[in-house]
């Protein structure tokens, strides 16, 4: 049985009014661990559990780690999460609450990731946060649902970090005969690794990342995302951190749901100008969710945001 829930697809009056077009929301923020990640991570964990793996390991202190801890608890498989020292207490607490064996190691993510990889024995499964075909096909289930829940949209809007969600949604569009539905990919300007890949025609590594949207902060997207950017109709849109944060605050007012700036980025495409949506009159937005930012934190970032 799947570990994710079927999420509502609702019409949004406030966002439709703001965007001047019909906007529908796929509410992944309602997934029990707080984001769409459980779709792919849950599917991958189920496959590994069936194959007899006795422990799940990852190096994400964010929503992927939380989804994995949730999946492990549901499946009765122990979970080890290695996070770097700069991981906020709030995230550590959430992982411990979910029952993960939490290890803190290294100043930066790649050091935590190296330790995580070194722990992987023959009976363990390592779960990558965005670069894994099992993950993509799990994420694609959100399109399978949308196909049952309503008409074909004129475009799908979603946020891109490492490109796992994008790769999964495109797989879902293609496996449901919605291959011609364009995807509008949204990133913050300080973490635009997908826009860079799209321009270069191949995945490229950014020198620096500068964004409060931690879940979008991947220096390089997965190769599959770069490949699908060539095969599928895609339009890229960039927003500032300030726009993403503002969108989080407005969305809380409009729909009473608190989401991360990573998700606020996609919502900002509807609250603000978005040339990529020209001539699209029915938009489906993946409200990807995320639990790593409190309202106080969002307000504090907003007060500091430069643009
Ligand atoms: C992981 C995540 C993203 C980005 O997803 P990718 O698969 O890395 O592109 C966006 N928003 C939230 C809330 C996430 O957890």
């Amino acid at each position: 049985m799947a570990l994710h829930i079927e999420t509502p697809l609702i019409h949004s009056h406030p966002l439709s009014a703001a965007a001047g077009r019909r906007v529908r929301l796929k509410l992944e923020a309602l997934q029990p661990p707080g984001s769409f990640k459980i779709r792919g991570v849950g599917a991958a964990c189920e496959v590994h559990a069936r194959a007899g793996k006795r422990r799940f390991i990852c190096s994400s202190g964010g929503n992927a780690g939380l989804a994995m801890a949730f999946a492990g608890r549901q499946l009765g498989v122990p979970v080890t999460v290695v996070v770097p020292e700069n991981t906020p207490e709030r995230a550590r607490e959430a992982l411990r609450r979910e029952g993960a064996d939490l290890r803190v190691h290294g100043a930066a993510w790649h050091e935590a990731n190296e330790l995580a990889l070194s722990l992987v024995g023959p009976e363990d499964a390592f779960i990558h946060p965005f670069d894994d075909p099992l993950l993509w096909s799990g994420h694609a289930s959100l399109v399978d649902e949308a196909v049952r829940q309503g008409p074909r949209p004129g475009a799908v809007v979603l946020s891109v970090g490492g490109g796992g969600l994008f790769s999964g949604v495109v797989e879902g569009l293609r496996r449901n005969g919605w291959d011609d539905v364009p995807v509008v990919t949204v990133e913050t300007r300080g973490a635009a690794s997908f826009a860079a890949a799209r321009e270069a025609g191949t995945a490229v590594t950014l020198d620096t990342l500068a964004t409060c949207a931690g879940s979008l902060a991947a220096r390089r997207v997965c190769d599959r995302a770069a490949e699908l950017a060539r095969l599928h109709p895609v339009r890229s849109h960039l927003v500032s951190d300030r726009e993403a944060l503002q969108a989080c605050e407005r969305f809380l007012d409009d729909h009473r749901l608190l989401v991360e700036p990573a998700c606020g980025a996609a919502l900002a495409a509807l609250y603000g100008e978005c040339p990529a949506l020209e001539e699209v009159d029915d938009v489906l937005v993946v409200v990807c969710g995320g639990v790593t930012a409190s309202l106080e934190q969002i307000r504090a970032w907003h007060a500091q945001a430069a643009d």
Side-chain angles (χ1 to χ4, degrees), residues 25-70:
L25 308 173
K26 185 71 174 141
L27 292 174
E28 292 303 297
L30 300 181
Q31 291 292 349
S35 79
F36 74 93
K37 287 274 186 355
I38 187 58
R39 289 186 184 271
V41 169
C45 286
E46 281 191 292
V47 168
H48 292 305
R50 271 200 303 276
K53 297 296 183 190
R54 308 285 286 271
R55 180 169 67 152
F56 303 144
I57 299 180
C58 81
S59 58
S60 158
N63 298 306
L66 277 169
M68 196 185 74
F70 176 87

Side-chain angles (χ1 to χ4, degrees), residues 35-37 63 130 159-165 215-216 260 262-263 288-290:
S35 79
F36 74 93
K37 287 274 186 355
N63 298 306
F130 56 81
S159 304
V160 179
L165 175 61
S215 297
L216 302 188
E260 277 181 32
C263 178
C288 52

Side-chain angles (χ1 to χ4, degrees), residues 5-298:
I5 62 164
E6 174 163 331
T7 55
L9 177 61
I10 65 166
H11 177 255
S12 169
H13 290 291
L15 276 145
S16 298
R21 53 191 106 240
R22 180 176 151 87
V23 177
R24 289 181 292 148
L25 308 173
K26 185 71 174 141
L27 292 174
E28 292 303 297
L30 300 181
Q31 291 292 349
S35 79
F36 74 93
K37 287 274 186 355
I38 187 58
R39 289 186 184 271
V41 169
C45 286
E46 281 191 292
V47 168
H48 292 305
R50 271 200 303 276
K53 297 296 183 190
R54 308 285 286 271
R55 180 169 67 152
F56 303 144
I57 299 180
C58 81
S59 58
S60 158
N63 298 306
L66 277 169
M68 196 185 74
F70 176 87
R73 203 160 48 74
Q74 301 290 316
L75 296 167
V77 175
V79 163
T80 298
V81 182
V82 188
V83 297
E85 281 144 16
N86 61 7
T87 303
E89 187 47 39
R90 183 183 156 88
R92 298 183 193 196
E93 190 46 47
L95 285 162
R96 283 193 213 102
R97 229 183 2 250
E98 206 58 270
D101 165 20
L102 183 67
R103 317 263 178 105
V104 180
H105 176 79
W109 172 78
H110 69 94
E111 292 172 45
N113 192 52
E114 272 163 30
L115 177 63
L117 288 170
S118 77
L119 295 174
V120 181
E123 301 203 310
D124 301 325
F126 179 79
I127 313 273
H128 194 280
F130 56 81
D131 192 2
D132 180 346
L134 290 174
L135 224 60
W136 307 327
S137 96
H139 294 337
S141 64
L142 86 83
V143 182
D144 301 338
E145 284 170 23
V147 167
R148 293 197 298 272
Q149 290 170 312
R152 171 193 297 251
V156 175
V157 173
L158 51 78
S159 304
V160 179
L165 175 61
F166 167 77
S167 300
V169 165
V170 172
E171 178 172 330
L173 293 171
R174 297 170 125 218
R175 80 185 181 197
N176 283 284
W178 282 6
D179 336 34
D180 54 348
V181 174
V183 177
V184 176
T185 57
V186 189
E187 298 170 284
T188 50
R189 285 200 184 85
S193 47
F194 180 79
R198 198 164 154 265
E199 212 153 279
T202 182
V204 292
T205 305
L206 302 180
D207 293 333
T208 56
L209 291 169
T211 184
C212 65
S215 297
L216 302 188
R219 286 176 62 198
R220 184 188 175 93
V221 295
C222 58
D223 290 333
R224 180 64 177 156
E227 183 188 15
L228 288 173
R230 298 191 301 270
L231 299 175
H232 193 85
V234 171
R235 305 173 198 165
S236 159
H237 181 63
L238 301 183
V239 300
S240 66
D241 274 15
R242 177 179 283 268
E243 288 167 316
L245 292 161
Q246 247 160 8
C248 290
E249 292 178 35
R250 277 184 78 175
F251 193 65
L252 179 59
D253 269 348
D254 287 342
H255 281 282
R256 304 159 307 281
L257 281 172
L258 181 66
V259 297
E260 277 181 32
C263 178
L267 299 169
L270 290 311
Y271 283 126
E273 289 294 307
C274 181
L277 286 174
E278 240 167 60
E279 289 171 26
V280 177
D281 49 22
D282 182 356
V283 184
L284 192 158
V285 185
V286 180
V287 182
C288 52
V291 298
T292 69
S294 65
L295 182 56
E296 285 105 304
Q297 179 69 76
I298 286 169

